[in-house]
């Protein structure tokens, strides 16, 4: 049998081509191309999460293609169809393709087939959807008006290597994130741009995996500069405000320094153009136009546009699209506006900067894949404390971390859907005020909304249908996570999905390590402490992202001792101590306090500092100011705080000034484990002080002076004045006492003022009782009985002791007022009280001199005596000259009466 001839090479090639055509032909070749108006529809994906980018083209009734596709990996991601891009429609959507997207995509090109039972008329919005978290990574609205007034003028972009786009069907998303070109400046920083030379514009996008408090700067250097390229640079500085609003402003660099205004009004440094010549004068303008910005997955993105040629020839550089030009860039922290500089100003970039030569007309695309930030969690972090309740409310959504989401979400302590951190074994208190239509609960299900309705199982750790309330009638509940609680659970609403977010459950923390804690003024810093015999351990934790955290002991930053914690350029936590005696950087003086067990860390931008220090520093107080930083546990410690963008251990400057600070100090009662706010003087307490001054400073002393120096007046007028003033003073001190008790809701004997005041009141009460029990006065010429003499001694001694105690209460009251409220007014009142006492002392000295002179004249007969004025009360039984006066006034046992002269 003859051997068969092998097939020719031509035949083999034909078969191979046939197989390739069968396997790789247009997947929609069998689909009709006349049943949809969306054929050749081209649009960008709207980036929602996971740094998703791409350009979609609808090929036919059964397929579509995606080019330039970037996406960070998800868990179970699919192509998803819905009737609209809103929360209700997307959550009720459906899978449209068998293709899964469970990987990271880098500038990929895909052709996707729709399922056989799916047609384009069923899809109004096409999304990339993660099923377990119900997350929208990105979407496109297919039937949106192509001529929408809200869209931005399109910038043609290459698709599959061509630029022949049908502009009638091309739509640029409201949130444009794609450009024709992309250049990698560093591993965490990119610039994207699209040149629109016919419009004399360039669209620029800055993208950085940086902190939310950092800026991104990019611009053109002085073409005549050969070194120090930053000087004379025209740059755009972009970032986000403290409210999360993106901005892009036009800056000019005149000096390697922060923007400053010297005494002559000259502006120097890295400053906005408008600061050099005033606010947008004629012929000058901020030529950087903000277009769009977002912060997603730990990546900041800002899109702006500027003209190639500007009318400002002094502070703006001309961009020539046909030549190579030197561009400069930098990353760093940014300082929020203040009263002198109402702009967000860049700080020292810390070595993260550079330059390169760029021709904007040349096509560049060296950005391989999406930026992947190490810290993707931008949500606020709230760390629960066992003493402070967490207030649960609802509010509008602005930056919900897992879109799509309902129109209102859960707020905790006025923060939108924060990450909540709790500790095992530490009871967390909740005050639920979210409304009767929101039942708060903690669940294993990331979506909430009662997972059983979705045929999903969940474990409920806390809360339920009864965990609802309103502000007028909140529901107070406690939750104690135990060792069986998973590391991550979710707080949600039982009735609506995706209103809450993550709960991190950790082992032990600051509340377990320290015996006491209080939240300082403005609810943004928590202060922890533990007292020991001779030292105190202190910790402070911010509740807001910042570059540094400072706490101070004093009524305000000036004249206070400060402890500053920050992370240096090497990533090491630092804590330094300072004495502050001025309001600028020159008034901050480093000190060398004896701190031990020093720690500082930053977690998701939240600074925590810890240290231990002696209560009473053992050093020379005259040579070292920190030696006066004594902590007395028995007296309130006034604590203040501040936060800012940047700190340094070396030379301090204006960039180290705080951006947010406490409005007033909090008086921390170290031994009681509590605190009270420093507040304005309450009117009732002011009335209390005035009434006590009226009683102990005027009425009681006046009554004593009347009894001491007015006995020579005819009749018993001195006695009436004495009695009326004493009883009036007694009534007033009772009223003042009742006012203070009512305002303070009781009192405790924990201060010197209260002790002195109660002693003075007790002695004042003894006086009327003593007066009621006084023995009968002796008749004229009779010897006073021993009981009478003893009574007079007791009456005088108790009265004078009451005055001394009352004056001590007034002085200690002023001291207590100064400790509680501080301020210049207290010192003024203290000096006024001292002057009043000096006037009183001089008055007593004068009256005492006049009384001695009167008695001396009486002894030697130089005064005129009137018959009938020799009452018993005229005689001071306690006077040391009493015996001599009686002896010389009555030289014999017979009573002698001296008559008045008849001739007057």
């Amino acid at each position: 049998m003859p051997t068969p001839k092998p097939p020719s090479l031509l035949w083999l090639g034909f078969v191979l081509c046939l197989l390739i055509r069968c396997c790789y032909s247009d997947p929609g070749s069998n689909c009709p191309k006349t049943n949809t108006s969306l054929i050749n529809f081209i649009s960008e994906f709207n980036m929602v999460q996971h740094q998703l980018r791409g350009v979609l083209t609808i090929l036919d009734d059964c397929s579509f293609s995606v080019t330039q596709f970037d996406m960070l990996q998800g868990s179970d991601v699919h192509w998803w169809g819905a009737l609209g891009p809103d929360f209700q429609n997307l959550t009720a959507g459906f899978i449209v393709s068998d293709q899964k997207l469970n990987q990271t995509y880098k500038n990929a090109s895909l052709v996707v087939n729709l399922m056989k039972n799916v047609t384009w008329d069923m899809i109004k919005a096409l999304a990339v959807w993660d099923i377990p978290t119900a997350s929208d990574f990105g979407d496109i609205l297919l039937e949106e008006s192509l001529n929408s007034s809200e869209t931005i003028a399109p910038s043609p972009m290459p698709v599959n290597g061509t630029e022949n786009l049908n502009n009638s069907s091309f739509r640029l998303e409201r949130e444009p994130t794609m450009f024709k070109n992309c250049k990698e400046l560093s591993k965490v920083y990119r610039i994207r741009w699209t040149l629109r030379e016919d419009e004399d514009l360039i669209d620029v996008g800055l993208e950085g995996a940086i902190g939310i408090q950092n800026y991104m700067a990019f611009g053109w250097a002085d073409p005549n500069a050969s070194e120090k390229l930053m000087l004379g640079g025209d740059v755009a500085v972009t970032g986000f405000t403290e409210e999360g609003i993106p901005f892009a402003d036009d800056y000019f660099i005149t000096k390697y320094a922060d923007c400053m205004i010297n005494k002559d009004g000259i502006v120097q440094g890295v400053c906005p153009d408008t600061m050099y010549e005033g606010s947008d004068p004629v012929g000058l303008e901020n030529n950087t136009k903000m277009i769009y910005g977002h912060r997603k997955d730990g990546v900041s993105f800002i899109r702006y546009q500027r003209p190639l040629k500007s009318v400002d020839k002094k502070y703006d550089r001309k961009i020539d699209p046909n030549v190579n030009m030197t561009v400069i860039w930098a990353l760093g922290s940014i300082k929020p506006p203040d009263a002198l500089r109402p702009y967000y100003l860049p700080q020292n970039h810390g070595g993260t900067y550079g330059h390169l030569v760029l021709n904007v007309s040349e096509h560049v695309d060296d950005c391989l894949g999406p930026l992947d930030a190490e810290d993707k969690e931008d949500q606020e972090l709230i760390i629960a404390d066992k003493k402070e309740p967490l207030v649960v409310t609802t509010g509008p959504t602005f930056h919900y971390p897992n879109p799509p989401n309902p129109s209102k979400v859960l707020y905790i302590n006025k923060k939108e859907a924060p990450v909540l951190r709790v500790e095992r074994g530490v009871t967390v208190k909740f005050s639920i005020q979210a409304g009767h239509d929101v039942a708060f609960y903690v669940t294993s299900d990331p979506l909430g909304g009662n997972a059983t309705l979705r045929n999903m199982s969940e474990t409920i750790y806390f809360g339920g249908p009864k965990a609802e309330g309103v502000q007028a009638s909140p529901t107070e509940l406690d939750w104690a996570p135990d060792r069986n609680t998973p590391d991550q659970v979710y707080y949600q609403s039982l009735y609506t999905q995706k209103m809450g977010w993550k709960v991190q459950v950790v082992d032990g923390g600051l509340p377990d390590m320290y015996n006491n804690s209080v939240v300082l003024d403005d609810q943004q810093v928590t202060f922890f402490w533990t007292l020991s015999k001779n030292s105190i351990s202190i910790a402070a934790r911010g509740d807001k992202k910042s570059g540094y955290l400072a706490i101070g002991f004093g009524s305000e930053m000036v004249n206070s001792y400060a402890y500053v914690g920050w992370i240096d350029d090497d990533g090491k936590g630092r804590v330094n101590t300072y004495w502050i005696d001025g309001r600028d950087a020159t008034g901050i003086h480093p000190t060398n306090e004896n701190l031990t067990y020093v720690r500082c860390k930053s977690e998701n931008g939240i600074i925590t500092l810890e240290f231990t220090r002696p209560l009473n520093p053992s050093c020379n107080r005259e040579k070292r100011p920190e030696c006066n930083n004594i902590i007395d546990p028995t007296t309130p410690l006034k604590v203040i705080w501040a936060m800012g963008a940047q700190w340094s251990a070396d030379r301090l400057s204006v960039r180290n000034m705080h951006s947010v600070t406490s409005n007033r100090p909090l008086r921390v009662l170290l031994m009681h484990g509590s605190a009270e706010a420093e507040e304005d003087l309450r009117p009732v307490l002011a009335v209390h002080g005035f009434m006590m001054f009226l009683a102990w400073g005027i009425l009681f002393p006046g009554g004593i002076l009347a009894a001491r120096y007015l006995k020579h007046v005819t009749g018993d007028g001195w006695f009436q004045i004495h009695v009326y003033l004493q009883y009036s003073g007694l009534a007033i001190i009772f009223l003042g006492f009742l006012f203070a008790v009512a305002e303070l809701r009781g009192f405790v004997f924990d201060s010197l003022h209260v002790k002195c005041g109660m002693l003075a009141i007790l002695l004042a009460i003894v006086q009327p009782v003593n007066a009621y029990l006084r023995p009968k006065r002796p008749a004229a010429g009779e010897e006073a009985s021993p009981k009478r003499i003893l009574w007079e001694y007791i009456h005088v001694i108790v009265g004078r002791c009451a005055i001394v105690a009352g004056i001590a209460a007034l002085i200690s009251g002023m001291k207590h007022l100064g400790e509680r409220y501080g301020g210049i007014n207290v010192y003024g009142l203290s000096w006024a009280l001292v002057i009043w006492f000096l006037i009183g002392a001089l008055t007593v000295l004068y009256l005492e001199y006049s009384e001695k002179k009167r008695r001396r004249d009486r002894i030697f007969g130089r005064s005129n005596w009137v018959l009938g004025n020799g009452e018993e009360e005229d005689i001071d039984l306690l006077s040391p000259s009493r015996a001599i006066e009686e002896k010389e006034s009555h030289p014999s046992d017979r009573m002698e009466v001296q008559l008045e002269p008849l001739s007057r």
Side-chain angles (χ1 to χ4, degrees):
M1 185 174 182
T3 305
K5 295 182 179 180
S8 66
L9 293 177
L10 182 61
W11 172 253
L12 289 176
F14 174 77
V15 173
L16 182 62
C17 290
L18 183 62
L19 291 173
I20 294 175
R21 180 175 178 83
C22 293
C23 295
Y24 294 98
S25 62
D26 185 352
S29 59
N30 295 325
C31 291
K33 298 186 177 182
T34 58
N35 294 337
T36 178
S37 61
L38 294 176
I39 292 177
N40 295 328
F41 177 87
I42 302 173
S43 182
E44 295 179 14
F45 275 93
N46 170 32
M47 181 192 294
V48 179
Q49 293 184 82
H50 283 241
Q51 298 300 298
L52 185 141
R53 284 186 173 90
V55 178
L56 173 135
T57 304
I58 295 180
L59 302 176
D60 51 41
D61 286 355
C62 304
S63 62
F64 61 92
S65 68
V66 180
T67 57
Q68 300 172 270
F69 187 57
D70 287 350
M71 188 189 76
L72 296 175
Q73 184 175 358
S75 55
D76 188 10
V77 187
H78 296 262
W79 297 105
W80 191 262
L83 294 178
D86 55 286
F87 172 67
Q88 288 76 14
N89 282 309
L90 280 176
T91 53
F94 50 93
I95 298 174
V96 300
S97 173
D98 293 328
Q99 185 182 53
K100 292 186 177 181
L101 303 171
N102 296 337
Q103 67 182 63
T104 294
Y105 290 88
K106 299 180 179 181
N107 200 24
S109 296
L110 307 173
V111 175
V112 183
N113 291 324
L114 297 181
M115 289 181 172
K116 293 181 179 180
N117 60 341
V118 176
T119 59
W120 286 116
D121 58 355
M122 301 167 58
I123 305 173
K124 306 301 181 185
L126 181 67
V128 178
W129 188 264
D130 186 70
I131 292 179
T133 59
S135 295
D136 179 15
F137 289 1
D139 57 62
I140 288 178
L141 183 59
L142 299 181
E143 293 188 355
E144 186 175 17
S145 172
L146 301 180
N147 298 318
S148 171
S149 61
E150 298 179 47
T151 59
I152 301 171
S155 301
M157 292 171 292
V159 178
N160 294 330
T162 67
E163 297 188 13
N164 297 322
L165 302 178
N166 184 356
N167 284 336
S168 63
S169 61
F170 176 79
R171 181 175 59 84
L172 193 63
E173 287 287 341
R174 290 191 183 90
E175 300 177 355
T177 60
M178 298 190 66
F179 298 79
K180 288 184 62 174
N181 307 281
C182 183
K183 179 71 176 177
E184 188 174 85
L185 302 176
S186 73
K187 291 183 179 180
V188 297
Y189 189 30
R190 296 172 175 177
I191 175 178
R192 300 175 183 267
W193 76 94
T194 297
L195 179 64
R196 296 160 59 184
E197 190 172 0
D198 56 338
E199 301 177 60
D200 191 39
L201 291 174
I202 183 172
D203 284 308
V204 179
L206 301 182
E207 184 179 40
I210 58 176
I212 194 171
Q213 294 181 319
N214 288 7
Y215 70 85
M216 300 180 293
F218 179 85
W220 277 260
D222 184 353
N224 299 320
S226 57
E227 57 183 14
K228 293 185 177 181
L229 298 177
M230 291 285 182
L231 291 181
D234 172 22
V235 298
V237 175
T238 67
F240 293 86
T241 68
E242 292 179 298
E243 294 78 23
I245 301 173
F247 68 86
D249 289 322
D250 191 8
Y251 282 66
F252 190 78
I253 303 174
T254 56
K255 186 178 181 182
Y256 284 104
D258 298 338
C259 184
M260 295 291 293
I261 305 176
N262 62 22
K263 296 180 180 179
D264 299 327
I266 299 176
V267 179
Q268 289 183 323
V270 184
C271 304
D273 289 6
T274 53
M275 283 191 66
Y276 291 106
E277 301 289 346
S279 181
D280 284 338
V282 177
L284 297 177
E285 62 179 347
N286 177 6
N287 70 352
T288 300
K289 181 181 179 182
M290 174 72 194
I291 301 296
Y292 170 73
H294 68 221
R295 173 84 179 172
K296 301 178 187 293
D297 313 302
V299 177
S300 296
F301 173 81
I302 302 290
R303 178 170 183 149
Y304 66 91
Q305 82 181 194
R306 59 157 294 170
L308 300 177
K309 302 175 184 177
S310 175
V311 296
D312 181 4
K313 306 299 182 183
K314 187 174 182 181
Y315 299 112
D316 286 336
R317 299 298 177 193
K318 175 184 176 182
I319 302 175
D320 189 342
N322 300 313
V323 301
N324 294 333
M325 299 186 69
T326 301
V327 295
I328 51 180
W329 61 269
L331 300 173
S333 59
I334 195 161
K335 184 178 182 297
D338 55 32
L340 296 178
R341 292 166 291 272
Y343 300 93
Y344 279 83
L345 300 180
Q347 306 295 286
N348 183 7
H349 42 61
T352 309
Y353 64 96
H355 67 277
L356 68 152
V357 176
L358 191 68
N359 189 324
V360 296
S361 63
E362 295 180 357
H363 176 64
V364 179
D365 189 6
D366 63 358
C367 302
L368 300 178
L371 276 179
D372 191 359
E374 293 182 2
D375 183 8
K376 298 180 177 61
E377 184 63 73
D378 274 332
Q379 286 303 105
E380 297 282 358
L381 174 66
I382 290 183
I383 303 176
D385 184 21
K386 59 185 176 182
K387 289 189 176 181
E388 297 296 328
L390 300 175
V391 180
V392 180
T393 57
T394 58
T397 177
F398 297 104
H399 305 289
Y400 187 75
N402 186 27
N405 47 267
S407 58
K408 71 174 183 178
V409 295
L410 291 173
Y411 280 59
I412 297 181
N413 289 358
K414 299 182 180 180
K415 291 181 171 58
E416 178 189 355
V419 175
L420 177 61
R421 180 174 297 169
V422 299
E423 298 174 7
R424 293 182 175 91
V426 177
T427 301
V428 183
K429 299 180 180 180
F430 289 94
S431 177
I432 302 171
Q433 309 172 15
H436 297 303
D437 58 340
V438 177
F440 184 83
Y441 78 129
V442 177
T443 172
S444 60
D445 179 42
L447 305 183
N450 194 351
T452 57
L453 297 178
R454 306 191 311 274
N455 297 319
M456 300 289 292
S457 61
E458 67 176 331
T459 302
I460 298 177
Y461 300 95
F462 167 73
K466 296 183 179 179
E468 50 86 10
V470 294
Q471 185 175 5
S473 179
T475 297
E476 308 287 343
L477 295 174
D478 294 341
W479 175 43
D482 56 30
R483 60 188 180 88
N484 296 321
T485 307
D487 292 341
Q488 181 166 295
V489 291
Y490 302 86
Y491 64 90
Q492 295 286 357
S493 168
L494 192 64
Y495 303 138
T496 305
Q497 293 181 23
K498 300 181 71 172
M499 290 189 68
W501 192 227
K502 298 176 181 177
V503 180
Q504 296 176 352
V505 185
V506 298
D507 295 326
L510 294 180
D512 293 329
M513 296 168 57
Y514 293 87
N515 294 340
N516 309 282
S517 66
V518 295
V519 179
L520 300 181
D521 182 58
D522 288 341
Q523 306 291 306
Q524 296 190 44
V525 176
T526 305
F527 183 76
F528 303 84
W529 76 95
T530 296
L531 279 173
S532 56
K533 184 177 180 181
N534 297 314
S535 64
I536 181 172
S537 297
I538 291 174
R541 182 181 64 214
D543 197 20
K544 181 178 182 178
K545 297 179 182 180
S546 63
Y548 71 84
L549 170 64
I551 58 170
F553 299 157
S555 296
E556 56 181 352
M557 280 297 175
V558 178
N559 298 323
S560 70
Y561 300 94
Y563 303 85
V564 182
W566 78 101
I567 307 300
D568 62 17
D569 294 337
D570 298 327
K572 181 181 178 181
R574 304 281 299 276
V575 176
N576 276 11
T577 62
Y578 301 88
W579 161 249
I580 303 176
D581 59 5
R583 296 188 178 278
D584 54 21
T586 60
I588 305 176
H589 310 288
T591 59
N592 295 309
E593 287 198 37
N594 183 21
L595 302 185
T596 56
Y597 303 104
V598 177
R599 290 183 291 269
C600 181
K601 65 179 181 179
S602 176
E603 190 172 15
N604 195 26
I606 301 298
I607 300 288
T608 300
L609 62 89
E610 300 178 71
F611 60 88
T612 299
R613 52 149 290 174
L615 294 174
N616 191 349
S618 57
C619 53
N620 191 331
R621 298 180 183 176
E622 295 182 358
K623 295 182 179 180
R624 296 169 56 186
E626 66 268 23
C627 301
N628 294 308
N629 186 13
I630 300 172
I631 295 180
D632 182 2
T634 62
T635 60
L637 178 66
K638 295 181 179 179
V639 184
I640 52 181
W641 61 266
M643 298 183 197
Q646 184 180 10
W647 197 263
S648 59
D650 303 323
R651 183 181 177 183
L652 299 175
S653 67
V654 68
R655 68 171 179 266
N656 304 122
M657 304 304 287
H658 57 72
S659 58
V660 59
T661 182
S662 53
N663 292 320
R664 54 187 176 183
L666 193 77
R667 302 173 69 252
V668 178
L669 309 177
L670 298 174
M671 298 188 69
H672 293 270
S674 61
E676 54 186 15
E678 184 90 358
E679 56 188 9
D680 297 332
L681 180 60
R682 295 183 232 178
V684 175
L685 294 181
V687 172
H688 163 81
F690 174 75
M691 296 179 75
M692 290 303 181
F693 169 75
L694 181 63
W696 295 106
I698 298 177
L699 297 180
F700 284 146
I704 293 176
L705 294 179
R708 174 72 179 171
Y709 301 112
L710 296 182
K711 290 183 178 179
H712 64 280
V713 178
T714 304
D716 61 351
W718 69 269
F719 183 74
Q720 299 296 329
I721 295 174
H722 173 76
V723 171
Y724 291 152
L725 290 180
Q726 302 304 89
Y727 278 110
S728 298
L730 196 61
I732 288 176
I733 64 170
F734 271 115
L735 289 175
F737 171 77
L738 292 177
F739 283 153
V741 171
E743 181 68 13
L744 300 177
R745 299 179 182 178
F747 66 95
V748 290
F749 290 89
D750 61 347
S751 68
L752 179 64
H753 173 62
V754 175
K755 294 174 182 178
C756 291
M758 292 307 300
L759 177 61
I761 292 175
L762 180 63
L763 293 174
I765 293 174
V766 169
Q767 285 298 76
V769 176
N770 188 20
Y772 178 77
L773 299 176
R774 66 176 178 172
K776 183 179 180 182
R777 65 184 180 183
E782 291 183 359
E783 289 281 343
S785 65
K787 291 183 180 181
R788 178 74 183 190
I789 294 175
L790 178 61
W791 175 84
E792 288 198 8
Y793 271 107
I794 294 174
H795 189 67
V796 171
I797 292 174
V798 171
R800 292 177 179 176
C801 288
I803 287 296
V804 172
I807 293 175
L810 290 177
I811 295 174
S812 61
M814 296 303 297
K815 182 176 181 297
H816 184 68
L817 186 68
E819 292 176 351
R820 189 180 184 92
Y821 299 103
I824 300 176
N825 292 335
V826 173
Y827 296 104
L829 291 174
S830 300
W831 277 109
L833 189 63
V834 170
I835 293 173
W836 176 259
F837 286 150
L838 289 176
I839 294 174
L842 292 175
T843 302
V844 169
L845 290 176
Y846 173 76
L847 292 175
E848 191 66 26
Y849 170 77
S850 300
E851 179 66 14
K852 293 293 184 182
K853 185 175 181 300
R854 186 183 67 80
R855 289 178 179 174
R856 191 166 51 249
D857 292 342
R858 176 181 175 186
I859 291 172
F860 291 102
R862 287 195 296 269
S863 62
N864 294 328
W865 295 91
V866 180
L867 182 64
N869 282 355
E871 296 182 6
E872 180 268 337
E873 284 82 357
D874 284 345
I875 303 171
D876 185 358
L877 298 177
L878 302 180
S879 173
S881 60
R882 170 176 173 265
I884 299 175
E885 291 180 17
E886 287 186 348
K887 184 176 180 181
E888 295 191 5
S889 299
H890 306 282
S892 65
D893 291 339
R894 290 180 305 178
M895 179 181 295
E896 296 182 0
V897 178
Q898 183 175 352
L899 301 178
E900 291 183 352
L902 294 177
S903 60
R904 295 188 179 182

